[in-house]
Amino acid sequence: MAAAAAAALRAWFWNERFWLPHNVTWADLAGEPGPPGSGLQYPRAGHVLSAFPLALGIFAVRLLFERFIAKPCAINLGIQDSGPHRAQPNAILEKVFTSITKSPDGKRLEGLSKQLDWDVRKIQRWFRHRRNQDKPTTLTKFCESMWRFTFYLSIFFYGIRFLWTPLTSRLYYYYILELAFYWSLMFSQFTDIKRKDFLIMFVHHLATIGLITFSYMNNMVRVGTLVLCLHDASDFLLEAAKLANYAKYQRLCDAFFMLFGVVFIVTRLGIYPFWILNTTLFESWELIGPYPSWWLFNGLLITLQILHIIWSYLIIRIAYKALVRGKVSKDDRSDVESSSEEEDVTSNSTKGVFSTSSNGSNRINGHVASGQWTEEE
């Protein structure tokens, strides 16, 4: 009974009329597209299952990389494993912080001021310090960015080779490696540095995983490879800017960020919609016509484009503010708040794109850091 139900469910899920164009079957994709022994092969749906154990392996490699490679590099650059200023121990304020609110309103601040005989500003400063205690250290952020920089850079140069090659097993490895990496990000984002754009990035990861999976199963690997390369082309530049910021190389940070912004906009507002979407929406309609998974595939591609537009607007706004002021201003995606309003003013005049002392929290995970450049990707 259970076996029959499983078989029925499998037959329903892998329905050829949903996944494949008309007059195409799974059997057609089981053979070799080239001469026998050529080594060429069509993608097979079952291949994507190998991404799950590989995702666990990638996560394990990341932990080892951050501990034994990234952390020593950070220490050599003078980045210490020290967090922000810790709040003065106070049982009453700690109880309010943990049980009621992390950001008390004016009425509650007045009440606490009378109860403790503290100045309201002092209480506000205490809550800022207390919130910052839960923020990750610069060393932690450096290690995370160095891992992402290393992966994005490596996978970009590895993947770009397949834009002109046939369907060999190496393309399979590239696709499954990218899929496994995004599955690892899907799980690790719950333990990674939290940013305000968590939900947006969650949707982004879901759409990316769906696109990689469906494009592979539908043998749309050409367009899929191009989409992956376009994204990786700018992502490693952003991580490079973050690394430079954490190491306090501000000019290098600003240069990488500006380069990232140019590449991001060219690839995601230029090449992506006018080349990729034009091919998948209009040219494919004329060649093979729409079918159920075609709508799903293009719906996910359009979802990515909407995210690209949002992120591009934020990047352009940051760059515009920098040009108006004659310099790059403070990063709005900072994970650490300023300890006082005076510190905020100081930061506005001295810090760059990815300053770690801005008054706001991250709003763009992995694409634009946070503060005067308020807004991530």
XYZ file of all heavy atoms in Angstrom, residues 13 53 77 145 152 167 289 304 321 344 376-377:
99
model
N 4.306 13.882 -9.277
C 5.277 14.967 -9.177
C 6.094 15.103 -10.457
O 6.369 16.218 -10.914
C 6.207 14.730 -7.980
C 7.191 15.839 -7.772
C 6.821 17.002 -7.108
C 8.498 15.745 -8.257
C 7.727 18.038 -6.924
C 9.410 16.778 -8.075
C 9.018 17.924 -7.402
N 23.502 16.176 0.643
C 24.695 15.817 1.416
C 25.874 16.735 1.119
O 26.689 17.023 1.997
C 24.986 14.375 0.984
C 24.284 14.185 -0.316
C 23.078 15.065 -0.241
N 45.738 40.967 10.321
C 45.376 42.309 9.867
C 45.027 43.229 11.042
O 44.617 44.378 10.841
C 44.185 42.238 8.905
C 44.482 41.643 7.525
C 43.192 41.412 6.755
C 45.422 42.554 6.738
N 32.542 36.980 5.680
C 32.742 37.604 4.372
C 33.894 36.964 3.607
O 33.828 36.834 2.377
C 33.008 39.104 4.543
O 31.843 39.774 4.959
N 32.563 32.719 -3.886
C 32.032 33.428 -5.053
C 33.100 33.628 -6.126
O 32.828 33.453 -7.319
C 31.473 34.792 -4.640
C 30.189 34.735 -3.858
C 29.970 35.585 -2.778
C 29.170 33.848 -4.193
C 28.788 35.545 -2.050
C 27.990 33.796 -3.476
C 27.808 34.653 -2.402
O 26.640 34.612 -1.692
N 27.577 19.733 -22.837
C 26.996 19.217 -21.597
C 27.845 18.087 -21.024
O 27.462 16.918 -21.053
C 25.568 18.734 -21.863
C 24.632 19.766 -22.496
C 23.265 19.151 -22.759
C 24.505 20.976 -21.604
N 7.055 27.373 -27.316
C 5.769 27.702 -26.715
C 5.777 27.467 -25.213
O 6.633 26.754 -24.684
N 13.412 37.389 -9.322
C 14.785 37.851 -9.144
C 14.973 39.260 -9.700
O 15.651 40.092 -9.096
C 15.761 36.895 -9.840
C 16.162 35.621 -9.095
C 17.235 34.882 -9.884
C 16.655 35.924 -7.695
N 24.377 59.855 -2.764
C 24.701 60.573 -1.528
C 26.215 60.751 -1.392
O 26.693 61.781 -0.914
C 24.146 59.824 -0.320
C 22.632 59.901 -0.198
C 22.150 59.206 1.069
C 20.644 59.328 1.208
N 20.144 58.674 2.446
N 27.201 59.303 16.593
C 26.579 59.207 15.278
C 27.050 60.353 14.392
O 27.352 60.172 13.210
C 25.058 59.261 15.413
C 24.490 57.990 16.001
O 25.231 56.995 16.072
O 23.312 58.021 16.384
N 20.632 44.650 0.002
C 20.775 44.069 0.073
C 20.127 44.505 0.466
O 20.299 44.281 0.038
C 21.132 43.038 -0.115
C 21.989 42.675 -0.446
C 22.368 42.037 -0.531
O 22.177 42.038 -0.776
O 22.713 41.748 -0.613
N 22.036 42.810 -2.653
C 21.842 42.628 -2.566
C 21.585 42.574 -0.985
O 22.173 40.383 -1.940
C 21.883 41.530 -2.704
C 23.298 41.484 -4.005
C 22.649 40.552 -3.826
O 22.743 39.735 -4.574
O 23.288 40.075 -3.726
